[in-house]
Amino acid sequence: MADLRLHGLTKRFGAVTAVDDLDLTVPAGSFFALLGASGCGKTTTLRMIAGLDQPTAGRVLLGDDDITGLRPYRRPVNTVFQSYALFPHLDVEENVAFGLRRRRQRDVEAQVEAMLALVQLGGYGKRRPAQLSGGQQQRVALARALINKPRVLLLDEPLGALDLTLRRRMQIELKRIQTEVGITFVHVTHDQEEAMTMADTVAVMHAGRLEQTGPPAELYDLPATPFVATFLGQSNLLAGDAAGRTGDDIAVSAYGARFTVPAARSRATGETIFLGVRPEKLHLATAGDDVPPAHQHVTGVVTDSSYVGVSSHYLVRTGWGTELAVFAPNTGAERQVPLGAEVCAHWHPRHAFLLNRPPGEGDRTAPADANLGVPA
Amino acid sequence: MTRAGRWIADHWVLGAGLLVLAYLLLPVAVVAGLSVNRPSSRLSYDFHDFTLAWWTDPCGAPGMCAALVRSVQIAFAATVIATVLGTLMAFALTTYRFRGRAATSILVFLPMATPEVVMGSSLLALFGAARVPLGLWTVVIAHVLFCVSFVVVTVRARLSGLDPRLPEAAADLYAGPWQTFHRVTLPLALPGILAAALLAFSLSFDDFIITNFTAGTTTTFPMYVWGTAQRGIPPQVNVVATAAFGVAVALVAVTTFRPRRR
Amino acid sequence: MTGSRSRPAYLLLLPAGLWLILFFVVPAVQLFGTSLYDPAGSLTEGYRMTWAFGNYPAALAAYWPQLLRSLGYAAAATVACLVLGLPLAYAIAVKAGRWRNVLLIAVVAPFFTSFLVRTLAWQTILSDSGLLVGLLRDVHLLGPDGRLLATPFAVVAGLTYNFLPFMVLPLYASLERLDGRLLEASADLYAGPAATFRRVTLPLAAPGIVAGTLLTFIPAAGDYINARLLGTPGTAMIGNVVDSAFLIRLDYPQAAALSFVLMAAVLLLVVAYLRRAGAAALDRVA
């Protein structure tokens, strides 16, 4: 087994730079997710790994082998294509056997049978792709790629065409298969929940560049950039300025108030910074409630509330006009806060984080229409 | 609107369409009728008496069957050559981006935009100047020329409708360019190629104008019909035309109603 | 598979490309040369190249009525094909349901019966002693001596008949792709059947109309079979003139000049038409 490494990988289409100087290491045997909005360059990256697109600059390395110039049919890498690209003129067996036959392997039938069993499609061998449901087609596409025992399996939005329930089931299924075969999976998706539930490591891409790479929990807990903080879940980012360090804490001044954040939770390198707090880390205190002594707070008025079952979502307008998102779990202990109530939104400093802020930029908070929770 | 009025509003187009279809089929019906008719005289086409004589002795008209065989030979050769050349060109036009692609499209379009007399006469002048004796092969050359454009257009339409990821998937699964063509592109394009071949065959078999310019003393079936038209065509010609219609219907029916592959 | 690796493309293009250049472009250039030969020569004595551009005005002066008639007949036949072809193609694509394939076969199949034999059948149908003329005379749509055969009407009807499938098939192809929900959306947005047809169906069928018009007009303009079999010398088209100049009168320079005039006229009309209809349509035709 060998790591997949990308060095300075760049792809330009005319004047557009789709992928910009990407450096990335995918550890052997890991389930690696490449996450980003559409048009961020993640599919182009995948196609360059597969050999379907030639990079403008940079290299693709598999272990010690430079495979940058290799034709797709000479690479030990296989792809599960978006909407599958199953060969409509071949039955399921021949689709799955395609790669083995091209390499003149022995024992094709037995291998195909075993692979169809692995993806739970035993008995479907003689069907045509058009006679299968979306989920079954997805399994055929997976089997067709996996049977070649690639050193890296690339998955391009493999679950995008499935409905929600099926997608959740296939996520678990894919994870099971990956654990079983131990092959490196590189999974491209725009669905952050999918990336977080399945991957060992998530790389977030934005505008052709890598924003942050790490385990899902780390990305969520301590995002490295404002993009990651708002794309992966929601964040309230308050514009502020660094105001010196006292011991292990960094002082922040924002809107006339002073806050502190542990230095270990700062990704900021300059003076202009964002102070970030996730909505579920904010708590509401109404008149008469106590704010725990270690907590910091801002005051405001509740302008919107929605009950979404497991939690209630509030918007709190601060004195300077920004609306903060607050998620309160419905544990049964809390009471609903009425609209118009004067509240105090408070948090523990170890739940806050600091990010670099482009000079001149104001607060970034969850958009008003996204207050129904984590987008799917 | 009343129920009847609504029915008419919904169905009049279908009725009009069927009338136009009747217009298309009327001459075929006349030809089929004449093929079982014993006319009162050689120049008369009156329906006179039912007979199967022409069907049982189709080669009774002197020279007709020889002309028919020649037409089939020419159409066969022209179809094979035009289909191979046209498919290769269509494949190049859909698979690759290259300099001269637009010029090639125009080169393909021009023969279709040129009236047959012009093409026929220019070929006649060419063969005359090059001192190529007119005959079977000059006809084949001419037929390939006008068929190849139709093949390119038909096959290209089929190829450009294919999912571009399928060849990519083949390449990803260890198929080189030739294997990809042979195992994926060609089988998927096959319905288009067959349709193109059928079209080429019928265009070649039926062509009169260009053939008349390039055939010299060779007589094809349409030339035979033309030659005998002044004196009244032999009834066996109607037999051949009716039979060709029947074969065509059967062939097209088989290709359309085959179990669908998408 | 794009970009640098275009060498295979040229290999694939080579055979058909050579064929088209050798047997289409070269003869066309040569034909142009022939049209400039000294008209005083003859096929037996040989021709001299004298750059006789005068052949063109001479040919036009002698045969402009036939040229105009050809373009006029072809235009009339094309319009007739469009008028007849639209309901048929629409009926097959939208209304026919499971009969669609049967009707398509019925459109394509006559095409396989010899073109000449079918035109001769029209001769029978339109003949003075035929049923149709008798019927029309009885209902006084035709005078007692009125005829159909050997009239411009017969020639245009023959052209219309012969090239109708070339109109119906592209029309069908573009109508068949029409998303039925668009028609429903149009109806939902207060468009009656006529408005839906004019505002939605027709614009979306435009590529088929362009292709069908070209495939009908071009061969019709160069045809001489219908004029010969269904018309009289008074309905002769430019094709008849070219044919006889090449094969009977053996006047090559004049024949070549006329061929070129015809080709130029057709190409000019086609280009003008495509400019109006949108250049994108060319890509769908070619």
Side-chain angles (χ1 to χ4, degrees):
Chain A
M1 292 294 266
D3 295 351
L4 169 70
R5 285 177 297 150
L6 310 181
H7 276 313
L9 203 63
T10 301
K11 177 70 178 179
R12 278 188 280 272
F13 297 103
V16 181
T17 303
V19 176
D20 195 359
D21 196 20
L22 199 69
D23 286 303
L24 192 64
T25 298
V26 179
S30 68
F31 198 126
F32 193 94
L34 213 48
L35 175 67
S38 66
C40 74
K42 56 191 194 301
T43 294
T44 307
T45 305
L46 198 76
R47 289 174 60 85
M48 287 191 283
I49 301 172
L52 298 168
D53 279 339
Q54 270 298 304
T56 314
R59 291 188 298 152
V60 180
L61 298 165
L62 201 52
D64 297 324
D65 305 330
D66 186 335
I67 61 167
T68 316
L70 278 188
R71 300 258 191 254
Y73 47 91
R74 302 229 185 275
R75 298 187 180 207
V77 168
N78 292 109
T79 309
V80 175
F81 286 80
Q82 195 171 8
S83 43
Y84 323 133
L86 298 179
F87 301 121
H89 60 299
L90 301 178
D91 61 21
V92 168
E93 264 174 27
E94 284 307 311
N95 261 288
V96 175
F98 194 91
L100 296 183
R101 294 211 194 280
R102 300 291 80 75
R103 290 181 302 158
R104 309 192 185 289
Q105 296 224 338
R106 292 157 174 279
D107 251 1
V108 173
E109 284 79 10
Q111 289 191 55
V112 169
E113 201 174 318
M115 186 49 69
L116 285 179
L118 178 73
V119 297
Q120 302 177 343
L121 275 179
Y124 285 86
K126 295 295 175 206
R127 303 238 188 139
R128 286 283 164 94
Q131 296 169 300
L132 301 179
S133 71
Q136 290 167 335
Q137 290 183 13
Q138 206 280 329
R139 288 158 198 265
V140 176
L142 184 65
R144 183 178 74 170
L146 267 184
I147 197 169
N148 302 292
K149 304 195 176 69
R151 285 162 75 186
V152 178
L153 183 77
L154 307 174
L155 303 105
D156 187 3
E157 301 268 6
L159 309 178
L162 305 179
D163 65 50
L164 195 66
T165 348
L166 205 52
R167 196 149 75 214
R168 297 284 173 262
R169 253 191 27 221
M170 283 308 298
Q171 286 174 5
I172 298 164
E173 183 82 13
L174 265 180
K175 184 75 195 162
R176 172 185 73 82
I177 291 172
Q178 195 264 339
T179 319
E180 215 167 308
V181 296
I183 289 173
T184 314
F185 276 31
V186 178
H187 180 129
V188 157
T189 180
H190 67 272
D191 180 341
Q192 44 127 334
E193 192 181 334
E194 187 172 302
M196 289 176 78
T197 46
M198 296 168 77
D200 312 322
T201 310
V202 175
V204 180
M205 276 187 82
H206 177 55
R209 291 179 162 278
L210 206 57
E211 293 274 326
Q212 188 178 3
T213 308
E218 185 187 309
L219 259 63
Y220 189 81
D221 185 53
L222 190 53
T225 67
F227 178 82
V228 175
T230 49
F231 186 76
L232 208 69
Q234 295 182 37
S235 294
N236 297 299
L237 299 182
L238 301 183
D241 295 292
R245 184 165 173 156
T246 36
D248 284 341
D249 291 334
I250 294 177
V252 176
S253 72
Y255 302 105
R258 285 183 75 84
F259 305 98
T260 58
V261 177
R265 294 192 54 80
S266 171
R267 302 268 192 185
T269 50
E271 294 291 298
T272 56
I273 50 116
F274 275 128
L275 168 66
V277 190
R278 296 280 186 186
E280 74 277 11
K281 304 285 171 33
L282 282 178
H283 309 278
L284 291 185
T286 44
D289 288 344
D290 292 329
V291 173
H295 280 212
Q296 304 182 333
H297 71 270
V298 296
T299 54
V301 177
V302 174
T303 56
D304 188 65
S305 86
S306 42
Y307 177 79
V308 292
V310 293
S311 59
S312 294
H313 295 179
Y314 299 97
L315 285 183
V316 176
R317 175 171 296 143
T318 60
W320 59 92
T322 297
E323 287 191 317
L324 301 178
V326 180
F327 299 166
N330 287 326
T331 56
E334 286 87 359
R335 53 209 144 68
Q336 292 288 308
V337 183
L339 281 184
E342 301 237 350
V343 292
C344 171
H346 58 93
W347 67 93
H348 193 283
R350 68 164 184 270
H351 290 143
F353 51 87
L354 294 183
L355 301 175
N356 279 329
R357 173 169 65 95
E361 201 172 303
D363 295 350
R364 278 198 215 175
T365 54
D369 61 353
N371 64 352
L372 282 175
V374 186
Chain B
M1 215 186 296
T2 64
R3 187 177 286 238
R6 206 184 154 113
W7 191 89
I8 290 169
D10 282 348
H11 290 83
W12 72 268
V13 180
L14 196 56
L18 289 177
L19 277 179
V20 176
L21 203 58
Y23 168 63
L24 271 176
L25 291 173
L26 177 67
V28 180
V30 171
V31 170
L34 289 175
S35 77
V36 291
N37 177 42
R38 188 189 298 282
S40 47
S41 76
R42 170 110 205 190
L43 271 173
S44 155
Y45 294 113
D46 287 344
F47 289 96
H48 185 68
D49 204 5
F50 180 81
T51 176
L52 283 176
W54 321 125
W55 280 88
T56 50
D57 181 25
C59 288
M64 191 196 74
C65 280
L68 191 61
V69 168
R70 212 158 291 128
S71 273
V72 171
Q73 288 168 337
I74 290 167
F76 187 76
T79 300
V80 170
I81 299 171
T83 306
V84 171
L85 298 191
T87 301
L88 293 180
M89 184 177 256
F91 185 67
L93 284 171
T94 41
T95 312
Y96 299 95
R97 302 263 167 273
F98 52 91
R99 288 164 65 88
R101 201 161 162 274
T104 310
S105 288
I106 292 173
L107 187 64
V108 169
F109 176 69
L110 272 179
M112 294 194 293
T114 306
E116 282 193 63
V117 259
V118 179
M119 237 196 282
S121 56
S122 67
L123 278 169
L124 173 65
L126 174 81
F127 293 140
R131 311 213 172 279
V132 178
L134 298 179
L136 209 63
W137 286 106
T138 50
V139 176
V140 171
I141 287 174
H143 284 198
V144 170
L145 178 64
F146 67 75
C147 289
V148 87
S149 294
F150 283 94
V151 173
V152 172
V153 170
T154 313
V155 176
R156 189 182 176 184
R158 171 82 192 177
L159 283 173
S160 60
L162 291 181
D163 184 349
R165 275 185 316 245
L166 292 174
E168 289 186 355
D172 184 61
L173 295 164
Y174 310 105
W178 164 247
Q179 292 255 16
T180 300
F181 178 72
H182 171 59
R183 300 278 174 188
V184 176
T185 316
L186 192 61
L188 289 172
L190 205 58
I193 295 172
L194 284 179
L198 202 63
L199 180 66
F201 191 92
S202 71
L203 285 174
S204 164
F205 183 79
D206 206 20
D207 182 75
F208 172 71
I209 297 180
I210 292 182
T211 314
N212 199 31
F213 276 101
T214 50
T217 54
T218 307
T219 306
T220 64
F221 180 69
M223 289 171 73
Y224 176 86
V225 175
W226 181 259
T228 54
Q230 317 298 326
R231 302 169 274 126
I233 54 168
Q236 283 90 344
V237 166
N238 295 316
V239 171
V240 171
T242 311
F245 178 78
V247 170
V249 169
L251 252 178
V252 180
V254 166
T255 47
T256 358
F257 289 115
R258 238 179 0 160
R260 280 250 155 169
R261 296 173 170 192
R262 276 204 311 122
Chain C
M1 292 214 216
T2 54
S4 56
R5 298 190 299 123
S6 55
R7 196 171 310 134
Y10 295 115
L11 280 175
L12 294 170
L13 288 176
L14 196 65
L18 270 184
W19 202 287
L20 286 170
I21 289 170
L22 204 57
F23 299 117
F24 182 79
V25 178
V26 170
V29 171
Q30 198 203 331
L31 187 72
F32 184 64
T34 306
S35 74
L36 301 177
Y37 283 167
D38 179 5
S42 76
L43 198 55
T44 42
E45 292 163 17
Y47 289 105
R48 283 177 307 115
M49 179 51 133
T50 55
W51 302 100
F53 282 100
N55 288 344
Y56 281 86
L60 272 179
Y63 295 109
W64 66 268
Q66 283 86 346
L67 182 66
L68 281 187
R69 194 180 294 139
S70 295
L71 300 178
Y73 284 3
T78 304
V79 171
C81 279
L82 189 58
V83 169
L84 295 176
L86 260 178
L88 179 54
Y90 187 85
I92 297 175
V94 180
K95 298 274 178 189
R98 61 206 179 86
W99 295 100
R100 183 186 274 195
N101 283 334
V102 175
L103 295 186
L104 264 185
I105 291 173
V107 171
V108 178
F111 190 67
F112 289 81
T113 331
S114 167
F115 161 66
L116 284 173
V117 176
R118 275 177 293 138
T119 310
L120 288 168
W122 274 112
Q123 225 178 29
T124 312
I125 296 165
L126 298 176
S127 70
D128 293 346
S129 54
L131 279 174
L132 192 59
V133 169
L135 187 75
L136 291 176
R137 281 178 185 164
D138 287 346
V139 299
H140 298 289
L141 275 173
L142 270 181
D145 300 324
R147 20 184 355 207
L148 289 174
L149 198 63
T151 61
F153 169 81
V155 178
V156 172
L159 289 170
T160 304
Y161 171 78
N162 274 311
F163 300 113
L164 186 53
F166 291 100
M167 178 67 85
V168 173
L169 292 179
L171 281 180
Y172 165 77
S174 59
L175 286 175
E176 190 238 335
R177 254 177 259 145
L178 196 74
D179 186 344
R181 285 172 305 176
L182 295 178
L183 305 183
E184 291 175 358
S186 170
D188 181 61
L189 296 166
Y190 311 105
T196 297
F197 182 77
R198 218 164 67 82
R199 300 282 174 197
V200 180
T201 312
L202 218 49
L204 289 172
I209 295 176
V210 172
T213 305
L214 292 181
L215 287 174
T216 311
F217 180 81
I218 295 165
D223 181 79
Y224 60 85
I225 309 288
N226 286 285
R228 178 79 64 81
L229 294 181
L230 305 175
T232 63
T235 61
M237 293 168 69
I238 195 75
N240 301 74
V241 180
V242 173
D243 180 58
S244 74
F246 259 114
L247 296 178
I248 297 165
R249 288 190 282 117
L250 301 178
D251 185 351
Y252 273 31
Q254 188 190 52
L258 282 172
S259 283
F260 240 83
V261 167
L262 173 60
M263 182 150 93
V266 168
L267 272 180
L268 226 69
L269 285 171
V270 166
V271 169
Y273 176 71
L274 283 178
R275 283 205 138 180
R276 284 209 59 183
L282 178 69
D283 227 36
R284 293 192 196 99
V285 179

